[in-house]
Amino acid sequence: MTSPVLTIIAPIFNEIDNLPELYRRVKETMDSTGEAWELVLVDDGSSDGSTDAILKLAQQDARVRPVVFARNFGHQIAVTAGLDYSRGKAVVIIDADLQDPPEMILDLVAKWREGYQVVFAVRAEREGETWFKTFTAKLFYRIIFRITDVKIPLDTGDFRLLDRKVVDVMNHMRERDRFLRGMSAWVGFKQIGVSYKRSARFAGTTKYTFRKMFRLALNAVTSFSYFPLQLATYIGFISAGLSILFIPVVLVLRLLAKAQLTGQATTLIAVLFLGGVQLISLGILGEYIGRIYDEVKGRPLYTVAHAPDEVDTLLPPSSPIK
Ligand code: UDP
Ligand code: MG
């Protein structure tokens, strides 16, 4: 089989009810382009039968290429594996829950044909999402935008098209804590956004627990900014500056024998405040050191139980092979 022109990557974590609809809509959209395409489905350690469903799809349609992880590695790593296995001249990353409408791929591809190498979809509207998620997401993108050197476009998810050139560069960035939106902004190239309305989930519930969301946010900050590390320096300068300012104030008060700063309370507050700041700074250092430690270990990013070319050998002998 010759290399496809377009690759669609969808990470799958317990999305059994979304799979048939995802396949149907992707197939319909991609067939309408008239180009050769492939759909890389990365099974991120599903336990609801998605794995078998993916393998079955691959059996029916050779354009579906399954990558089955040996356990759950998380969304960003699943997409990374998709990028590793992709062969298209352009690659589109899409969520499996149909929050990113597959029909939008046509708009992304149109921009790619105009010569853009990264075409990201901007969420102009969100449907069926809690106010908490919308609010924290909005806040998060704005904080990240302020404290990082890389200008990561506001309100974009991973729904985007990447040119082969960009994918090749990103595949060489083997950092462990991956924030793909940031990485694809970092590479440069000609980038453009296309806005869209993010739909509600087709079926199932969100696979992003609060913990996973928090982790992603933390990864984004530590991967693209030293700001938290510099905070200790700033606070240090401020408190040192304040204490120097206080010396003449205390002296004058004392000489005039007016109201004096008395009592243990003041001292206690100062000690607790500085102790707190120091512990937080240590914790921030720890976050970065832990990440350095993880990098140094140099483990693979994911472990694959079944790679795409193994599909035929995985099928039970009784199942019909077309
Ligand atoms: N996902 C994954 N591994 C995980 C969590 C999520 O592969 O550990 C996939 C999930 O199946 C979906 C995509 O990542 O295709 C986005 O997840 P979800 O829709 O739950 O996130 P949300 O849209 O709520 O932010
Ligand atoms: Mg979703």
Side-chain angles (χ1 to χ4, degrees), residues 11 13 15 44 96-97 99 133 198 201 206-207 212:
F13 181 48
E15 304 281 9
D44 187 12
D97 58 1
Q99 282 197 285
K133 176 118 187 180
R198 189 159 163 87
R201 252 181 175 271
T206 179
K207 305 298 179 294
K212 278 187 181 169

Side-chain angles (χ1 to χ4, degrees), residues 12 14-16 19 43 46-55:
I12 314 273
N14 296 339
E15 304 281 9
I16 185 86
L19 267 173
D43 174 30
S46 298
S47 54
D48 68 341
S50 295
T51 314
D52 287 343
I54 292 171
L55 292 176

Side-chain angles (χ1 to χ4, degrees), residues 42 44 67-74 76-85 171 174 176 178 299-305:
V42 185
D44 187 12
V67 180
V68 181
F69 277 1
R71 66 163 167 91
N72 179 259
F73 279 93
Q76 300 287 301
I77 300 286
V79 174
T80 302
L83 291 174
D84 289 338
Y85 281 95
N171 285 351
R174 302 313 284 179
R176 202 144 298 272
R178 307 178 78 76
R299 291 186 185 159
L301 292 179
Y302 51 83
T303 50
V304 174

Side-chain angles (χ1 to χ4, degrees), residues 214-281:
F214 188 72
R215 198 81 224 147
L216 179 72
L218 217 57
N219 285 344
V221 174
T222 53
S223 305
F224 288 95
S225 170
Y226 297 135
F227 181 73
L229 287 174
Q230 292 158 339
L231 266 181
T233 321
Y234 298 143
I235 298 175
F237 271 113
I238 293 170
S239 48
L242 277 179
S243 66
I244 289 171
L245 270 184
F246 270 125
I247 296 172
V249 174
V250 171
L251 265 182
V252 169
L253 284 179
R254 196 152 270 224
L255 286 178
L256 297 179
K258 284 259 164 82
Q260 296 199 358
L261 297 170
T262 53
Q264 295 177 330
T266 334
T267 322
L268 197 63
I269 289 171
V271 169
L272 283 181
F273 175 75
L274 281 180
V277 168
Q278 282 169 0
L279 285 179
I280 293 171
S281 310

Side-chain angles (χ1 to χ4, degrees), residues 4-165:
V5 178
L6 299 162
T7 300
I8 313 299
I9 297 173
I12 314 273
F13 181 48
N14 296 339
E15 304 281 9
I16 185 86
D17 295 325
N18 289 315
L19 267 173
E21 184 68 6
L22 173 74
Y23 170 69
R24 191 188 65 77
R25 281 174 65 182
V26 167
K27 179 173 142 67
E28 210 171 275
T29 309
M30 298 318 291
D31 281 345
S32 76
T33 62
E35 302 281 10
W37 57 274
E38 64 177 4
L39 173 62
V40 177
L41 295 176
V42 185
D43 174 30
D44 187 12
S46 298
S47 54
D48 68 341
S50 295
T51 314
D52 287 343
I54 292 171
L55 292 176
K56 242 200 199 106
L57 271 180
Q59 179 194 342
Q60 289 163 5
D61 187 341
R63 293 169 299 187
V64 175
R65 303 179 65 226
V67 180
V68 181
F69 277 1
R71 66 163 167 91
N72 179 259
F73 279 93
H75 173 227
Q76 300 287 301
I77 300 286
V79 174
T80 302
L83 291 174
D84 289 338
Y85 281 95
S86 71
R87 301 175 302 186
K89 293 194 171 62
V91 175
V92 177
I93 303 164
I94 194 167
D95 275 359
D97 58 1
L98 296 161
Q99 282 197 285
D100 310 324
E103 296 72 27
M104 260 287 294
I105 294 173
L106 299 180
D107 299 331
L108 304 183
V109 171
K111 285 283 169 206
W112 176 60
R113 297 237 181 269
E114 280 175 31
Y116 291 96
Q117 284 133 325
V118 176
V119 188
F120 49 87
V122 186
R123 304 158 173 174
E125 257 181 79
R126 277 171 175 253
E127 233 176 38
E129 216 116 52
T130 59
W131 71 265
F132 179 74
K133 176 118 187 180
T134 318
F135 173 74
T136 47
K138 279 227 160 284
L139 185 70
F140 166 69
Y141 289 116
R142 272 137 197 96
I143 292 177
I144 283 287
F145 194 79
R146 292 216 94 165
I147 68 171
T148 58
D149 305 330
V150 185
K151 287 305 157 218
I152 301 168
L154 294 174
D155 304 320
T156 58
D158 288 312
F159 187 24
R160 59 188 60 223
L161 177 146
L162 307 171
D163 184 79
R164 171 51 46 190
K165 269 207 175 116

